[in-house]
Amino acid sequence: MVPEPPGDEGTDNQHILPQVEYETVEALHHRFLAIIKAHVDVAALGSPRYATRDLVKRVSDVVWCTLSSSYYKDRAHLQSIYSYMTGAKLDSSGTTLAVVAACQALGYYDVHLALSEDHTWVVFGPHGKDTVEVTWHGKGNEDKRGIPVTHDVYSKSWLYVNGHPVVCDRHMEVATIVSNMNPGINATTDSEEVMLLQQALLWMLYDAGHLAKYPMAIDNLGDLEEMMPSKGRCPATRMYEEAITSAVRYYHNQHVYPYTYLGGYCYRNKMYKLALKYWARAASVIKNYNYSRDDEEIYKEFLDIANELIPHIMRVVSSGISARSILKDPECFGYLLEFYDGICEWEEGSATPVLHIGWAKALFNTIAKFDARVRSHVKIFCVAPDATEDEEVQETSGLEKAAAEARTSQDQNGNMATDCINLSEEEMEPSELLHRWPPVRLASAKMRGLRDLLLADKLNSQAISLQLTAQSQVTMSKKRGTSGGEIESTHAGGRSKRSRRE
């Protein structure tokens, strides 16, 4: 569990919010119904009992064609039906939400919202198993409407979270509307009143149990609690941890952002070892996918971690007492290896390369901060890409054995080494840290090839850079379902830009 920063007791925020006239909302609602019912003839489509692909496609055509012909679709505040009714403008996720609302207005309550970490689509049918695209993704505005989200599309695709999206019920769709609220007044200023309203509504939904299967909304609530703690409520750390639990329990641990949220929190609160740990876990999730141009947002997230945040940590801990814990801790070096191993696996089998010379420079400069003695204390296990299930089990047993050896190792006087797992970083002495032999499993071809170079007494910058940036020779064994335009700047599921406050 991540420790809570001291002195964070919460505040009792009192703000007067402007009143919303019911007549105004009712008028907009009737106008929305009029547009949809005037353009969608359900009888002409056979008046089906449940929604069909043709019906949902027709609704999406109506929403699409009634949008303004020219506007910048990446700007803020285009995620709501209010924006659609007052300005005929919607962003990608707002378009999907409008389609779901329109289908509900027509009496088709089997139509629901499906969310990945950066895209939205629709599920429908008597059992909610049918899928259809209703919006675009990226800056190219490629028309995907009417296309089903099949196994060939979502397999190994981060954009479709490998077939494990958040499929909303009606309450979770309300949670999406709340989570999508954007408090930004301009690029540097947020409306505190909107943030407090969003926070209060999310807590209402949380208390009613409607966020349990919605990791992104839980993370957004944690983000709000970090900035404006509420009296008597769980701290932000608990919310971030709960989002990870939700992703693991309900979505087979296929979501990346819960780990980067918690890693970012640890980074901001100077818990650097834990930040490295959760970034490594984020990379262990992304390795399940193949990289493509659709992954621009998550690519920028990892690039920022590798080239900005980790180097900053290394600069901060290179002097003073902190250096005793981070740079003398073999576990921290192990987390770095796991982080880059996940990135390299993400690249393997992909049509587009991930790593370039900038990644290589950052990796070398970071590992160079760890002296050879610390690096030599990491037990590296290389796992062959074609390892069988039995070999995986045997390898896992080897890792467990190595961990047991690390806990029972003796110092030079024959005393048992301290198990430092429950000690804070500041409490660890260098002599204690170097009695730990953390096991690290490397599965990517590039990192397995770098094993000896990374453990050498003298690091070879040129050899490491050549190995890391070399074109992957791994065969295209991972199926790729989609390609397309670049990612728009807003995250599906309400992940606002403020959540990347590092």
Side-chain angles (χ1 to χ4, degrees), residues 114-188:
L115 306 166
S116 73
E117 295 190 294
D118 201 42
H119 189 44
T120 57
W121 60 98
V122 162
V123 299
F124 63 96
H127 305 292
K129 300 298 183 183
D130 298 308
T131 58
V132 62
E133 295 271 19
V134 296
T135 189
W136 68 90
H137 182 267
K139 298 188 175 94
N141 292 355
E142 291 85 357
D143 185 2
K144 294 185 175 187
R145 288 171 294 144
I147 301 174
V149 182
T150 62
H151 180 271
D152 287 342
V153 172
Y154 66 69
S155 179
K156 302 297 182 183
S157 169
W158 172 76
L159 187 64
Y160 297 93
V161 284
N162 221 354
H164 297 286
V166 175
V167 177
C168 298
D169 58 22
R170 204 63 72 202
H171 295 100
M172 293 170 69
E173 285 157 1
V174 174
T176 299
I177 295 171
V178 175
S179 194
N180 276 347
M181 291 171 64
N182 188 337
I185 298 173
N186 53 44
T188 59

Side-chain angles (χ1 to χ4, degrees), residues 335-364:
Y335 291 146
L336 288 171
L337 298 186
E338 291 172 350
F339 174 80
Y340 280 98
D341 185 58
I343 301 298
C344 290
E345 275 204 87
W346 185 28
E347 181 184 67
E348 288 182 5
S350 303
T352 307
V354 174
L355 301 162
H356 51 67
I357 189 62
W359 289 86
K361 288 181 178 179
L363 170 62
F364 178 80

Side-chain angles (χ1 to χ4, degrees), residues 5-200:
D8 197 10
E9 299 177 355
T11 57
D12 189 10
N13 296 296
Q14 297 292 335
H15 287 265
I16 298 176
L17 298 175
Q19 292 184 347
V20 178
E21 298 293 336
Y22 177 77
E23 290 76 12
T24 302
V25 177
E26 187 180 32
L28 292 172
H29 176 240
H30 285 307
R31 185 181 171 195
F32 177 75
L33 292 178
I35 292 173
I36 300 303
K37 292 182 177 180
H39 292 87
V40 180
D41 186 355
V42 176
L45 295 168
S47 300
R49 180 181 178 186
Y50 297 100
T52 63
R53 181 166 284 104
D54 288 341
L55 187 147
V56 178
K57 172 66 163 57
R58 174 59 185 159
V59 172
S60 68
D61 289 344
V62 170
V63 174
W64 186 286
C65 294
T66 51
L67 293 175
S68 176
S69 59
S70 61
Y71 63 95
Y72 184 57
K73 297 177 177 60
D74 284 347
R75 58 172 292 191
H77 310 296
L78 300 184
Q79 74 282 5
S80 68
I81 297 177
Y82 178 83
S83 172
Y84 175 55
M85 300 312 304
T86 57
K89 299 175 182 178
L90 287 170
D91 61 13
S92 174
S93 61
T95 301
T96 308
L97 185 65
V99 171
V100 173
C103 290
Q104 180 181 0
L106 293 170
Y108 289 97
Y109 301 106
D110 57 303
V111 178
H112 289 286
L113 188 65
L115 306 166
S116 73
E117 295 190 294
D118 201 42
H119 189 44
T120 57
W121 60 98
V122 162
V123 299
F124 63 96
H127 305 292
K129 300 298 183 183
D130 298 308
T131 58
V132 62
E133 295 271 19
V134 296
T135 189
W136 68 90
H137 182 267
K139 298 188 175 94
N141 292 355
E142 291 85 357
D143 185 2
K144 294 185 175 187
R145 288 171 294 144
I147 301 174
V149 182
T150 62
H151 180 271
D152 287 342
V153 172
Y154 66 69
S155 179
K156 302 297 182 183
S157 169
W158 172 76
L159 187 64
Y160 297 93
V161 284
N162 221 354
H164 297 286
V166 175
V167 177
C168 298
D169 58 22
R170 204 63 72 202
H171 295 100
M172 293 170 69
E173 285 157 1
V174 174
T176 299
I177 295 171
V178 175
S179 194
N180 276 347
M181 291 171 64
N182 188 337
I185 298 173
N186 53 44
T188 59
T189 307
D190 287 343
S191 167
E192 188 174 354
E193 289 80 6
V194 173
M195 292 169 66
L196 289 169
L197 175 62
Q198 183 183 35
Q199 186 178 24

Side-chain angles (χ1 to χ4, degrees), residues 379-395:
K379 286 181 175 285
I380 296 180
F381 293 80
C382 293
V383 181
D386 55 349
T388 65
E389 189 172 328
D390 290 340
E391 289 171 332
E392 287 279 354
V393 173
Q394 188 176 15
E395 182 269 336

